[in-house]
């Protein structure tokens, strides 16, 4: 189980109101800046946002430090590059989900098992899409938005396998390879060997390593530049684990990659994937 720190004291109603007020003012300032193609002086910006200049200045200073706003010559303000970075990231992830969803649904229908789409966020995998339900009351579900360590998940191993040895060693040092189950990999040498296999096979496995009684097979999804952007994983209860599903998982991941512009643009028909996915 993940150990969580003790919960912080619940904020008081006054603190909640104050925090919400700051957020509302922050959003208002961003909206005002978004309406103007040029930078705005503090007094004009504060006036249009309905704020006292000292209040606007305090909020803008924090936003500038975070990169959401830039202060230019003369003390004027404009939208910052951080918003562009976040916007590009949101666009990328939405596009990935939109492209991948029909293929996830198809693989789920072919196998009756839970199919997940995960991306890397630092030392964790975050699940951004899933398709679940099916042929049995025994189901595996990764909640959208849930997180798991790289070394205990099939998709996480795909991303670690992309890294040079030195980066993996730094990951080991940061995390200590904390186990999630008795089957989790905790020995660095065993992890290095596992990642070599992932590189050879272009497939990764989680055999009761993240959750007892659950096994996963994952294949990578790449964009037009060949960069690994996500992992497609199929999760089953251990008693239904079927390693022959590795190939249809890989083929589906390759189809999504092609749809994102990686390699040849032609796709294998969905019906063919369905037929080959069935054991």
């Amino acid at each position: 189980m993940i150990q969580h720190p003790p919960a912080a004291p619940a904020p008081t109603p006054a603190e909640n109101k104050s925090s919400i007020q700051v957020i509302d003012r922050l959003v208002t300032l961003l909206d005002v800046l978004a309406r103007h193609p040029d930078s705005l002086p503090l007094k004009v910006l504060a006036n249009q946002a309905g704020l006292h200049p000292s209040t606007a200045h305090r909020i803008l200073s924090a936003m500038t430090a975070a990169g959401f706003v830039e202060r230019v010559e003369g003390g004027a303000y404009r939208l910052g590059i951080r918003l562009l970075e976040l916007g590009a990231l949101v666009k990328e992830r939405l596009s990935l989900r939109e492209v991948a969803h029909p293929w996830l649904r198809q693989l789920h229908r072919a196998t009756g098992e839970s199919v997940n789409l995960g991306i890397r966020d630092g030392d964790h995998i975050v699940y951004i899409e899933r398709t679940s339900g099916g042929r049995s009351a025994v189901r595996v579900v990764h909640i959208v938005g849930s997180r798991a360590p790289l070394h205990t998940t099939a998709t996480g191993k795909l991303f670690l396998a992309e890294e040079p040895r030195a980066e993996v060693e730094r990951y080991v040092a940061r995390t200590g390879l904390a186990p999630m189950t008795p089957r989790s990999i905790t020995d660095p040498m065993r992890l290095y060997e596992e990642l070599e296999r992932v590189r050879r096979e272009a497939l990764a496995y989680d055999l009761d390593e993240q959750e007892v009684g659950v096994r996963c097979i994952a294949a990578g999804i790449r964009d037009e530049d060949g960069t690994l952007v996500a992992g497609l994983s199929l999760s089953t209860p251990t008693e239904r684990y079927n390693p022959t599903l590795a190939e249809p998982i890989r083929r589906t991941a390759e189809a999504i990659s092609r749809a994102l512009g990686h390699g040849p643009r032609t796709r294998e028909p969905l019906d063919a994937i369905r037929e080959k996915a069935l054991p």
Side-chain angles (χ1 to χ4, degrees):
M1 298 292 292
I2 298 177
Q3 298 296 317
H4 296 285
T12 66
E15 289 172 332
N16 272 331
K17 182 177 179 181
S18 177
S19 297
I20 292 171
Q21 189 177 55
V22 169
I23 294 172
D24 285 342
R25 291 171 173 175
L26 183 153
V27 172
T28 299
L29 288 166
L30 289 176
D31 285 340
V32 172
L33 288 171
R35 291 198 298 266
H36 294 270
D38 300 319
S39 59
L40 289 177
L42 174 61
K43 288 186 178 180
V44 175
L45 179 53
N47 180 61
Q48 294 192 15
L51 298 173
H52 190 278
S54 64
T55 300
H57 182 266
R58 185 174 66 253
I59 297 173
L60 287 166
S61 294
M63 294 166 67
T64 300
F68 295 114
V69 167
E70 292 180 2
R71 191 176 185 206
V72 298
E73 186 177 353
Y77 294 87
R78 65 185 181 191
L79 295 178
I81 195 69
R82 181 64 176 150
L83 293 172
L84 179 62
E85 295 170 350
L86 292 175
L89 185 61
V90 170
K91 179 180 178 182
E92 173 188 336
R93 291 180 180 179
L94 285 176
S95 175
L96 172 63
R97 291 177 66 182
E98 291 168 1
V99 170
H101 186 72
W103 300 90
L104 268 66
R105 195 168 61 242
Q106 185 69 41
L107 184 60
H108 166 65
R109 284 200 297 263
T111 63
E113 304 293 0
S114 298
V115 181
N116 316 287
L117 187 68
I119 60 172
R120 181 174 184 174
D121 182 21
D123 290 341
H124 293 82
I125 286 298
V126 178
Y127 295 99
I128 63 170
E129 188 61 272
R130 66 176 174 84
T131 306
S132 63
R135 68 187 187 191
S136 171
V138 181
R139 290 166 42 194
V140 176
V141 176
H142 284 145
I143 299 173
V144 172
S146 64
R147 305 166 66 87
L150 297 178
H151 67 283
T152 64
T153 60
T155 294
K157 291 174 186 176
L158 293 172
F159 280 94
L160 283 176
E162 293 287 294
E163 301 283 4
R165 175 68 172 261
E167 286 298 324
V168 179
E169 289 175 348
R170 280 191 275 272
Y171 171 84
V172 170
R174 284 195 307 272
T175 65
L177 298 184
M180 299 300 294
T181 76
R183 295 288 302 272
S184 300
I185 295 176
T186 58
D187 175 30
M189 292 309 299
R190 186 179 161 210
L191 177 64
Y192 304 147
E193 292 171 359
E194 178 84 355
L195 297 182
E196 280 301 320
R197 185 177 78 159
V198 172
R199 295 181 186 107
R200 289 195 307 269
E201 300 179 2
L203 288 164
Y205 300 84
D206 157 17
L207 304 180
D208 300 82
E209 298 165 53
Q210 172 62 25
E211 183 178 349
V212 174
V214 177
R215 297 191 171 189
C216 296
I217 307 172
I221 295 172
R222 299 182 182 275
D223 64 11
E224 60 184 358
D225 298 321
T227 302
L228 182 68
V229 294
L232 171 73
S233 64
L234 186 142
S235 305
T236 69
T238 298
E239 61 268 24
R240 282 208 309 266
Y241 174 65
N242 182 357
T244 65
L245 292 176
E247 188 55 29
I249 293 167
R250 186 196 340 241
R251 293 169 71 86
T252 304
E254 289 174 349
I256 298 171
S257 298
R258 290 197 297 273
L260 291 173
H262 179 62
R265 297 300 179 104
T266 58
R267 295 188 188 179
E268 184 174 9
L270 289 174
D271 287 342
I273 288 181
R274 181 197 298 117
E275 292 171 3
K276 293 174 182 177
L278 293 173

